[in-house]
Amino acid sequence: MSRVFPVVLIILTVVLVAFATISPGHLTSATSPDQAVRSLLERVKGRDFKQAFSYISAASNIDEGAFYRDVNGSEGSLRTYSSLQDVDTKVLKESDTEGTVRADLVWSSAVGAIYETRDLHVVKEDSGWKVLWPQEKQANLPPQVIPVNYLRWDIVHRGADEDWGAQNVEPPRVRIISMNAIERDGNVIILGEIENEDTVPGFVAVNATLLGKDGGDLGQESSFDKMSHTLLPKEVSPFRIDFPKMKLASVKSVRMQPNAMLVPASADPVIAVQHQRMETDARGHHVLKGELLNESGQTVNIPHVLATYYDTAGRVVWVSDAYSDRALLPQVPVPFAVDVRDDLAENVHNYRVTVNNYTLDRDR
Amino acid sequence: MSKLGYILLALATCLFASYVAHAGELNIPNQLSSGQGFSIPTSGTGTATFYLIGPAGVIKRAVHLGDAVNVAGEETRAAGRYVAVLRSGDSNDTKVFFVTPGKPAALNFLARPSRVPTAKPDAISGVAFVFDGYKNLMIESVPVNFSLAVEKSAPASRTVPAKDGIAWIQMASGRSQGAAQFVASLPATDVSVRRVVQQVAGDACNLHMKAQAMAKTIVVETDPIRDCSGNAVPDGTIVTFTETDSRGLSTVDARVKRGIARAELPLSENATISVAAGVVLGNEVHIRWASPGNGGAGAARANLKFKDGIATDGGRANAEGSATGGRE
């Protein structure tokens, strides 16, 4: 009896370990287009990319590595700092052999939620419904040396042993060249543009204080990611400052305070914004679309697109932004889309898109 | 007789009081120059304590009565009101005197700003503080000379009297860019302080570009960009090229490099291209590429030809069109 008990324990342990090791290897085959898409995306959400790939149809002509790069990001892009948080699907079309499913995806990322809509085609195969995953063809730049000799500004500040009259290098002169206050959705929003008028780069922020009828402060806010903070000489950036839960009628005046600091900066990279056009997306909403082209030789990991919209009088009527979750490889165009408020779209006469860039290992 | 005696007694009392009062004041001039030492004679025997209370500190020293008390020049560096006290037993001998600044010997000079656009009136300010050799602010009026000079141009110079030790001036920036030497000096001395005010080019003037078609792009390039005084705008300045065609809007924020800005825009058969630097707009060029044969874009690229160019700044449109007429 004393020998039987340990043997039973060992056998039981081996059985339990084996049971735990053997995962549900065989996937339940999808019985509908919606289930196929859901199963795939749920596995992406669980970061089980291998099993997610098993829901991809071989007709997609995409390898597992390319699928992984698509859903998990590459080149230090924003997608590499994101994870799929929420999935909502809707069958648009379905027949016995194929279907189309719209997937509304919410990614949680380092810069907040990113919303994406994909219309996925699904086909019925012997092993069940499989998703035709669209492969994004990205042009590969042939190996080459791209000479870059753009300017860089460095700063030498005054020394500690200078007499008190010795001047320091001064911050750049910046000027708010336009400003507009509007009320939207119960918020007061200050919009405008600021220019670095100087010949040196600067780190710029805009603060705004709302003053009430009695002259007292109603609130103070500053621009955050609705502007380009590093401005090169003569560069113009939009800014947007939101005051939540405020009424424009209670505001007597706005006190604006642009602040600038002299900072080291580089004139590289140059990012062209091509083929900007206003369109309506699959959901019927207005979007500003275009392509970003990194004209330098260094990868831009996280591009941040800022769009400024003007009315017929040239007044700034809205500022919106979007992060692209794809890195900008040199000389390779990458599409972008910025949501435009549908109620403003008709008033938009012109627009301007600028790009902030965040690059890892800049000094490499 | 008794009346005369009272009068003589009163007179003697007054004389004694006068002697006593005179004996209680130290023999120090009422006004001294900073850094000027002096000596105080004392009488009697024994020891006493000498105090010198000034604006920058207090000195306490034991002295022998009968010997002179020597105060070194270093001990009267700071200008202002001084009180000297000689305390012996219960009696105090005191004297209040003033130390005034010496000869002007130093300047502190504030120059603002460190960078200024060219040809701006009253854009540069200088404030000079005049001190003596011991850093006392000069009270009396002293002339201060200001001069502003950029290399290869005549300096602008002006003399301003300092009031209460401060002289200030506003000057226009010069028409040439460069490091302007802003100097404040004291005439008839070798005292001068130099600051550097960087005069930089102002906004671009007559911004003008030309376009040229390449195999896959339109290359746009400005003429050398200068301000209205003819100074080249600094490298790194942003110049925005905007192309509008049927496919939408394309923009490039190019950087001025070696005096010109250059960018590549998407190839288009019919587009309008404009250029701007900050709030300054340049010319606008409308381009249409004739495509002989079937007119297809592919065929056109092999045989591009600049057909027309309309520049809004006038007079250069036709010249621009023929000068930059693509490549064949």
Side-chain angles (χ1 to χ4, degrees), chain B residues 17-32:
Chain B
S18 168
Y19 170 77
V20 169
H22 185 72
E25 186 176 276
L26 296 172
N27 186 15
I28 303 171
N30 287 328
Q31 190 164 307
L32 292 167

Side-chain angles (χ1 to χ4, degrees), chain A residues 86-358:
Chain A
D86 201 11
V87 178
D88 190 22
T89 57
K90 180 184 175 187
V91 178
L92 299 179
K93 196 168 64 179
E94 184 175 357
S95 69
D96 291 342
T97 56
E98 61 179 9
T100 304
V101 177
R102 174 166 298 165
D104 290 319
L105 312 177
V106 182
W107 299 84
S108 63
S109 79
V111 294
I114 293 178
Y115 301 90
E116 183 185 7
T117 300
R118 286 195 183 213
D119 288 347
L120 296 167
H121 292 284
V122 189
V123 291
K124 189 169 187 181
E125 296 180 353
D126 294 340
S127 55
W129 289 89
K130 296 284 175 102
V131 178
L132 281 169
W133 193 262
Q135 185 178 13
E136 294 199 20
K137 296 281 184 188
Q138 188 162 328
N140 285 326
L141 194 68
Q144 60 186 284
V145 176
I146 298 177
V148 175
N149 55 355
Y150 285 108
L151 271 181
R152 182 178 163 77
W153 292 265
D154 289 320
I155 306 162
V156 178
H157 291 284
R158 60 172 285 178
D161 53 347
E162 301 266 13
D163 74 60
W164 58 266
Q167 82 256 51
N168 208 342
V169 280
E170 288 172 4
R173 283 175 291 108
V174 295
R175 186 166 65 99
I176 292 175
I177 55 176
S178 70
M179 198 197 94
N180 187 17
I182 60 172
E183 186 179 328
R184 285 275 181 281
D185 305 330
N187 306 322
V188 171
I189 297 167
I190 310 296
L191 307 159
E193 288 180 299
I194 187 167
E195 183 196 5
N196 177 4
E197 291 187 310
D198 216 316
T199 55
V200 291
F203 183 87
V204 180
V206 181
N207 297 326
T209 306
L210 298 186
L211 301 176
K213 303 286 185 194
D214 59 353
D217 288 5
L218 294 178
Q220 189 173 356
E221 295 284 349
S222 64
S223 55
F224 181 55
D225 64 347
K226 298 291 188 291
M227 76 172 292
S228 294
H229 286 285
T230 301
L231 294 186
L232 299 184
K234 303 290 184 281
E235 190 167 8
V236 177
S237 168
F239 64 84
R240 188 180 114 190
I241 305 171
D242 293 12
F243 289 86
K245 296 175 184 170
M246 289 268 187
K247 296 282 181 197
L248 197 55
S250 59
V251 177
K252 182 185 177 190
S253 62
V254 183
R255 188 166 58 220
M256 303 297 296
Q257 188 185 8
N259 296 318
M261 266 193 316
L262 189 59
V263 289
S266 169
D268 195 37
V270 176
I271 300 172
V273 189
Q274 299 183 341
H275 308 136
Q276 306 160 41
R277 71 250 175 219
M278 198 88 86
E279 291 182 353
T280 49
D281 65 6
R283 299 164 297 166
H285 297 307
H286 289 86
V287 288
L288 179 59
K289 287 186 171 181
E291 291 168 358
L292 306 177
L293 181 67
N294 175 6
E295 293 189 348
S296 75
Q298 191 179 29
T299 299
V300 172
N301 301 97
I302 303 178
H304 177 213
V305 177
L306 277 167
T308 316
Y309 307 92
Y310 308 88
D311 63 8
T312 50
R315 197 172 46 172
V316 178
V317 290
W318 192 244
V319 174
S320 60
D321 71 325
Y323 287 87
S324 172
D325 56 8
R326 286 175 58 184
L328 298 184
L329 301 180
Q331 316 292 332
V332 177
V334 170
F336 73 90
V338 185
D339 288 338
V340 183
R341 290 180 64 104
D342 293 326
D343 56 339
L344 276 171
E346 285 186 1
N347 296 334
V348 173
H349 179 256
N350 203 356
Y351 42 81
R352 191 173 75 93
V353 176
T354 52
V355 187
N356 280 330
N357 62 84
Y358 302 96

Side-chain angles (χ1 to χ4, degrees), chain B residues 152-294:
Chain B
K152 296 177 184 172
S153 63
S157 186
R158 215 181 304 166
T159 301
V160 177
K163 186 181 176 187
D164 293 335
I166 302 169
W168 65 277
I169 193 172
Q170 278 189 303
M171 301 179 91
S173 57
R175 296 184 65 81
S176 307
Q177 66 179 347
Q181 309 295 313
F182 196 13
V183 179
S185 60
L186 294 172
T189 68
D190 59 353
V191 177
S192 69
V193 180
R194 183 174 65 92
R195 303 286 182 226
V196 174
V197 176
Q198 198 74 32
Q199 294 190 157
V200 296
D203 284 334
C205 222
N206 297 322
L207 183 59
H208 190 267
M209 66 158 170
K210 55 198 175 190
Q212 187 176 10
M214 307 302 282
K216 293 180 179 176
T217 59
I218 297 171
V219 175
V220 284
E221 187 177 292
T222 63
D223 294 344
I225 306 174
R226 298 183 181 281
D227 68 3
C228 295
S229 300
N231 300 296
V233 302
D235 281 4
T237 301
I238 294 286
V239 173
T240 303
F241 295 98
T242 305
E243 178 191 25
T244 310
D245 67 0
S246 58
R247 291 177 294 175
L249 202 69
S250 298
T251 55
V252 179
D253 279 348
R255 280 74 167 150
V256 172
K257 212 189 312 183
R258 294 182 182 173
I260 62 167
R262 186 176 185 278
E264 293 182 2
L265 294 166
L267 191 62
S268 173
E269 294 188 346
N270 191 347
T272 301
I273 302 174
S274 62
V275 62
V279 293
V280 176
L281 295 177
N283 65 320
E284 191 176 274
V285 176
H286 178 70
I287 55 172
R288 190 164 65 240
W289 306 99
S291 50
N294 60 11

